[in-house]
């Protein structure tokens, strides 16, 4: 038995589907993959049948926890059955999730939305990461935190997002006291899923640290702070959460009989502590030590870098001890619109000829644009953009900023703008790298993963040129699921064929693509000059010296308010 | 005979064609119109057959003077013949032209390009207004004018354009001394055409004043200045031009037998002194007195306003005494890209859905965009643009500036950008109006003419809202030709049924459309706030405080140079 290959399963819970990968523990080979789209997807207009008459407010985004279980009953079962692998050879399973995605449950873990008494209340359902309706609660938290000079605030760039755990929890309490009262537990969906697999509530330190203001050194914020947010909220941690936070890399438990039945795996199979999709990608991109930034590049970019110590860095999203790799501090930073920005451009600002060309060559519009854009020299377009179409996450932490494009002439073309937008996101990345290095966190090289790098070599080369660093690309197209499978191998441990540490797992199971994007020496001076312009405009418009963007935003909201008032009056 | 209606003909020589209108002198009714496309159009790549092997340099733009004569032999002849009007009822003919459009001729007015000895030299042909190959000569003129502290320089905003008369003349001398030597005359095409009609060289004060540095008070610049530009060029005025400059509104002469034969008109029919298309539009837009700005709106905007005195105004294109209406000073200012900017947007940055919608409704893409844009409230898009896609003419006089768009989000749509571009050109107009008023030249209201106003009511309303002034629109779609017909009526004079002055002609023959665009009171505060942002960014990026646009331009030229060098090396 010890000579047969060992496998683990990693399950990546995304926004629209769950994706399960069966991986060879020895070398990371991905033996099989199965995807399970969520039946109820993102619930953002009305509750699912039979409660479709319950309409959701703007900015709401819910999910159905049964859709998560279906990933095990469907995708994982098919994966095991279809692989021809003996379930005894599958030594562990690990999961990662979007975050913060959270739900209220009873003390035995039953989601309140499963109960007839509560299911017509939208607050009984899972609040998905992109549920943005808790902005008033986030505003309260940020204001009170500043007033009470909370020591954790600097760890999060001075401001937390409406997407995080406590804004969502506070929204439940304020808007649905019944649900808040009925909720024995408020829990990350990641941890709820592990609870369903193991029969035991286990809370991971990654979501706790990055989304719920927890740290190994200080625990959660004090009760006095929560009570100051809303009378009665002071006991939220002791009443609804848990102060027992388990580090990633640990074994959460073994598969219950019931969960084994869903999946076709053996009861007792090791289950890893849950993780977050971006953070779990880091070891899957081969990175387990300081000095290498991991850029998870998709609609947005999440940047993770490890450090031995935790100096204060301007405008990162968070720093968590043991939050990414046990034994180091994991810093997270972010750019709010990258793939989304290019998608906006293609949808909203590219004329028909490029769409026609793409159709006639059966390629994407992105490829057509990138092809022409690649023929341009740096600086040739005369264009420069500030990439703030969705605000600025790092290092300015300001959602109210907006985009800017400078330098257009009557001969400016779509490929020129496309390249300028790519360059602007690269400049944004360089600002983040510069902030890390200025704060004492080394960034010697970069590994990229996610959807963008493999589709867009021009983008990778521009990023290398602009940042002056080597960029490599993770070999796997499924880095989150691979990372979860790696943590599963660690949870299983060496005695049954797993790995002793995540570093061991990374050495064996994680790989890079052969190609390296090296900075082009002749491009560096031009990009340095353009970057100097970018930084000056970045500081001018982003740090308050010029009020244009704020004024435009204010006038926009006033116009929309006037518009709404006129509509209301007309009714 | 005196009871029969009297008519005049106005001929507008445009860039691609000549357009002749037959107008009733009593009320300005346009009885007929005929258009003659130029057979050789704009000559910008190679000379016409049989000399098609002669290739032109970049930025060259020539025309064939025979194409101008064909307008009389074709369009005017058809107009007269087709109107059923007795030629004896046609009491005058007037013309206007693009400017500076100039050519070298012999002493009898024969264009050098008509002569076999010279016709293969591109410098023998007409240099069209948009011939931009004399930029080095314009640079020399501007430099030397500053060095010699020339008193005329402030009248032209401190800088002249490569399009003007002396850069073109100097280019001929530098690049083709033979042609320069053979040219007994260097003359505006406008004046050359009048010469062909009357048999007599007559030079108008409008082109002399706006394009050739002449003024009634000071004449041309001193010989010493011209000699400083290039040895031997000092005598250019006395050798090739004439110091006899005739005011617009005068009678240049009567039709020769030959010209009468071309047109079907009677020999001796009054011919008016030539005029410029923009300036001749002013009385045709009913304006003959100070206080009303005329905005000639097409691919660009030319602004003309009259004044009793001539205070120095920042950044106008020129101020000429009697240059537009005898008895007042005519100020000209300009915006370099207006219709061109909207056309760029539609061609280069509007996605397929709007093109499809336009096609399915058989309307223009502009109309589809304007329709959606009109539903937006001021400020609602959150966008603001600097309209410098073709540099800035007034008030910054800086061709090296480029455009800027600020405030984009992931939901920014094409109609929102379209409206922001319209608003930006309106802000540009307001800057010019503010400069006039700050200098003591009143602008109480505006009359628009040209192609844009009648096609785009949204644009007119935005201009009224932004400038806080009433905007009216000239009734005629052919204001230049109508204006020429009006000056023809003045040249004919009252004894034979014409008008005594251009003011009389305007009262009788020029009209406004019924509709008035009044500023919307509720829009004013928002546009004042947006204008304040515009002005701050305008001064920040346009007056040198922030170097971004200049740096981008420099990097662009360096990249293009490197690109050209690489291509040359590869050959």
């Amino acid at each position: 038995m010890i000579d047969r290959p060992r496998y683990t399963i990693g399950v990546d819970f995304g926004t629209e589907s769950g994706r399960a990968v069966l991986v060879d523990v020895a070398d990371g080979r991905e033996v099989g993959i199965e995807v399970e789209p969520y039946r109820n997807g993102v619930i953002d207009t009305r509750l699912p049948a039979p409660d479709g008459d319950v309409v959701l407010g703007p900015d709401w985004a819910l999910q159905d926890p049964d859709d998560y279980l279906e990933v095990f009953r469907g995708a994982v079962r098919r994966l095991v059955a279809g692989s021809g692998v003996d379930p005894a050879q599958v030594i562990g399973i690990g999961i990662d999730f979007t975050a913060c995605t959270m739900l209220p449950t009873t003390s035995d873990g039953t989601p309140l939305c499963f109960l007839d008494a509560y299911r017509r209340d939208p607050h009984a359902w899972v609040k998905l990461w992109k549920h943005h309706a808790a902005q008033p609660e986030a505003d309260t938290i940020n204001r009170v935190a500043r007033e009470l000079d909370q020591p954790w605030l600097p760890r999060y760039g001075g401001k937390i997002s409406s997407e995080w755990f406590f804004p969502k929890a506070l929204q439940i309490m304020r808007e649905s006291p019944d649900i808040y009262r009925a909720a024995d537990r408020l829990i990350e969906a990641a941890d709820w899923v592990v609870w369903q697999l193991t029969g035991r509530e286990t809370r991971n330190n990654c979501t706790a640290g990055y989304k719920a203001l927890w740290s190994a050194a200080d625990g959660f914020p004090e009760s006095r702070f929560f009570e100051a947010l809303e009378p009665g909220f002071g006991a939220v941690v002791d009443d609804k959460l848990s102060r027992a936070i388990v580090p990633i890399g640990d074994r959460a438990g073994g598969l219950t009989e019931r969960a084994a039945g869903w999946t076709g795996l053996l009861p007792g199979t090791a289950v890893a502590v849950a993780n977050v999709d971006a953070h779990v990608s880091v070891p899957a991109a081969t990175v387990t030590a300081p000095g290498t930034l991991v850029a998870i590049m998709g609609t947005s970019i999440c940047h993770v870098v490890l450090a031995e110590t935790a100096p204060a860095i301007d405008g990162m999203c968070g720093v968590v001890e043991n939050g990414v790799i046990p034994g180091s501090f994991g810093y997270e930073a972010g750019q709010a619109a990258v793939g989304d920005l290019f998608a906006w451009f293609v949808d909203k600002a590219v004329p028909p000829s490029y769409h026609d060309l793409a159709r006639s060559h059966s390629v994407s519009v992105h490829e057509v644009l990138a092809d022409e854009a690649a023929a341009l020299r740096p600086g040739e377009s005369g264009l420069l953009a500030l990439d703030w179409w969705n605000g600025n996450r790092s290092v300015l932490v300001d959602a109210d900023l907006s985009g800017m494009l400078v330098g257009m002439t009557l001969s400016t073309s779509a490929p020129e703008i496309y390249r300028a937008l790519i360059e602007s996101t690269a400049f944004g990345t360089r600002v983040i790298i510069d902030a890390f290095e200025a704060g004492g966190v080394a960034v010697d090289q970069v590994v990229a993963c996610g959807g963008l790098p493999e589709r867009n070599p021009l983008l990778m080369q521009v990023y290398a040129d602009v940042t002056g660093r080597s960029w490599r690309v993770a070999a796997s197209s499924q880095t989150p699921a691979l990372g979860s499978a790696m943590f599963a191998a660690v949870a299983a441990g060496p005695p049954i064929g797993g790995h002793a540490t995540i570093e061991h797992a990374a050495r064996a199971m994680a790989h890079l693509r052969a190609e390296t994007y090296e900075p082009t020496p002749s491009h560096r001076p031009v990009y340095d000059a353009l970057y100097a312009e970018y930084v000056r405009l970045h500081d001018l418009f982003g740090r308050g010296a010029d009020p244009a963007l704020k004024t435009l935003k204010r006038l926009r909201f006033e116009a929309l308010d006037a518009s709404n008032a006129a509509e209301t009056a007309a009714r």
Side-chain angles (χ1 to χ4, degrees), chain A:
Chain A
M1 162 93 182
I2 209 72
D3 297 314
R4 288 201 297 169
R6 294 293 186 282
Y7 302 93
T8 53
I9 289 174
V11 186
D12 170 41
F13 288 86
T15 300
E16 301 285 352
S17 63
R19 173 177 310 248
V21 179
L22 182 72
V23 179
D24 189 319
V25 169
D27 58 9
R29 190 170 53 93
E30 294 165 18
V31 177
I33 179 170
E34 289 288 342
V35 178
E36 194 75 29
Y38 302 148
R39 196 164 53 94
N40 283 317
V42 177
I43 302 166
D44 54 8
T45 51
R46 46 188 69 240
L47 290 182
D51 305 304
D53 57 316
V54 180
V55 173
L56 305 179
D59 290 335
W60 276 65
L62 305 179
Q63 289 199 317
D64 177 355
D66 192 57
D67 284 346
Y68 307 147
L69 300 183
E70 192 61 26
V71 174
F72 295 103
R73 299 185 296 240
V76 175
R77 163 172 290 280
R78 288 195 303 277
L79 184 67
V80 174
S83 68
V85 166
D86 179 350
Q89 289 175 270
V90 181
I91 59 173
I93 183 167
I95 70 143
D96 63 87
F97 230 92
T98 63
C100 162
T101 293
M102 56 84 79
L103 69 161
T105 74
T106 63
S107 59
D108 68 358
T110 306
L112 294 191
C113 63
F114 285 5
L115 303 176
D116 283 345
Y118 302 115
R119 68 157 210 262
R120 287 177 58 79
D121 186 328
H123 282 290
W125 295 71
V126 175
K127 287 189 169 60
L128 184 60
W129 66 276
K130 65 176 174 177
H131 174 90
H132 287 135
Q135 189 59 53
E137 288 72 24
D139 294 343
T140 302
I141 290 172
N142 286 321
R143 181 177 51 75
V144 173
R146 277 192 304 274
E147 286 169 7
L148 299 185
D149 200 16
Q150 289 288 290
W152 47 265
L153 203 51
R155 288 206 312 270
Y156 302 103
K159 205 176 192 181
I160 76 159
S161 155
S162 69
E163 294 179 3
W164 291 12
F165 194 89
F166 289 113
K168 283 170 169 157
L170 184 55
Q171 191 197 7
I172 297 175
M173 192 207 193
R174 282 184 176 173
E175 298 182 5
S176 186
D178 285 354
I179 293 290
Y180 187 75
R181 209 174 303 116
D184 296 315
R185 318 309 284 152
L186 294 175
I187 189 165
E188 282 279 348
D191 291 331
W192 179 79
V193 164
V194 167
W195 190 353
Q196 300 312 299
L197 294 179
T198 62
R200 190 160 92 188
E201 181 183 345
T202 310
R203 293 177 182 247
N204 76 84
N205 70 330
C206 182
T207 51
Y210 287 105
K211 307 295 176 185
L213 314 181
W214 176 89
S215 77
D218 302 329
F220 288 102
E222 53 191 351
S223 298
R224 193 175 65 92
F225 166 73
F226 290 114
E227 190 66 23
L229 298 177
E230 188 80 28
F233 199 61
V236 61
V237 172
D238 290 315
D239 285 1
K240 315 287 184 186
L241 281 68
S242 165
R243 296 192 187 273
I245 304 295
V246 184
I248 51 168
D250 273 20
R251 183 178 185 279
L255 275 188
T256 60
E257 291 282 348
R258 188 175 69 136
W262 295 335
T263 57
L265 295 173
L266 300 184
T269 303
V271 178
V273 168
N275 216 314
V276 176
D277 47 8
H279 305 73
V280 79
S281 296
V282 172
T286 73
V287 174
T288 57
T292 302
L293 181 91
V294 176
I296 301 104
M297 304 175 73
T299 54
S300 58
I301 296 183
C302 178
H303 318 74
V304 180
V305 64
L306 305 172
E308 307 284 0
T309 58
I313 306 285
D314 252 7
M316 94 252 31
C317 306
V319 53
V320 176
E321 188 172 6
N322 308 321
V324 179
I325 300 292
S328 58
F329 289 88
Y331 282 90
E332 181 191 345
Q335 286 176 265
V338 182
D340 272 353
L341 170 55
F342 312 144
W344 170 86
F345 181 65
V346 165
D347 287 352
K348 302 289 179 69
V350 171
S353 57
Y354 297 94
H355 292 266
D356 294 345
L357 204 59
R359 207 164 19 243
S360 73
H361 288 74
S362 300
V363 297
S364 73
V365 177
H366 290 276
E367 284 170 273
V368 171
L369 293 170
D371 202 49
E372 274 197 44
L376 296 166
R377 286 174 179 257
E380 183 175 339
S381 70
L383 298 172
L384 181 66
L386 290 180
D387 51 319
W388 301 341
W389 267 248
N390 193 21
N392 178 293
R393 181 58 209 151
S394 301
V395 297
L396 299 173
V397 197
D398 190 341
D400 286 340
L401 296 174
S402 51
M404 184 176 302
L405 183 63
V406 174
M408 289 81 88
T409 72
L410 292 174
S411 65
T412 295
S413 68
E416 288 179 325
I417 299 176
Y418 187 71
R419 183 170 181 128
L421 295 180
I422 288 175
E423 289 168 347
S424 73
T425 61
F427 294 139
T429 296
R430 183 164 166 189
V431 167
I432 290 166
I433 291 174
D434 284 359
F436 278 128
E437 294 234 310
V441 173
V443 178
D444 303 324
Q445 56 188 338
V446 185
V447 175
C449 59
L452 274 182
E454 48 196 61
R455 283 199 303 271
N456 202 326
L458 166 65
L459 178 119
M460 297 309 297
Q461 188 57 55
V462 167
Y463 273 57
D465 289 351
V466 164
T467 61
R469 284 162 173 86
S470 298
W471 283 61
R472 302 289 301 268
V473 180
S476 174
S477 300
Q478 316 290 343
T479 41
L482 172 61
S484 289
M486 288 163 60
F487 275 105
V490 177
I496 57 164
H499 292 290
T501 64
I502 190 65
E503 288 84 352
H504 284 92
R507 270 196 294 277
M509 299 172 72
H511 308 284
L512 298 176
R513 295 185 171 220
E515 68 265 31
T516 302
Y517 296 93
E518 294 290 352
T520 313
S522 66
H523 290 180
R524 299 281 304 134
V526 183
Y527 276 133
D528 282 346
L530 284 169
Y531 181 63
E533 300 301 302
Y534 177 91
V535 168
R536 202 187 55 256
L537 295 181
H538 173 281
D539 291 350
L540 179 65
F541 290 101
R543 296 193 193 271
D546 188 288
L549 300 182
K550 295 305 173 80
T551 306
L552 289 171
K553 184 75 113 188
R554 178 176 58 75
L555 292 172
R556 182 173 178 217
F557 284 145
E558 288 174 3
L560 290 171
D561 284 350
S563 207
N564 292 340
E567 265 179 43
T568 306
R571 273 201 297 266

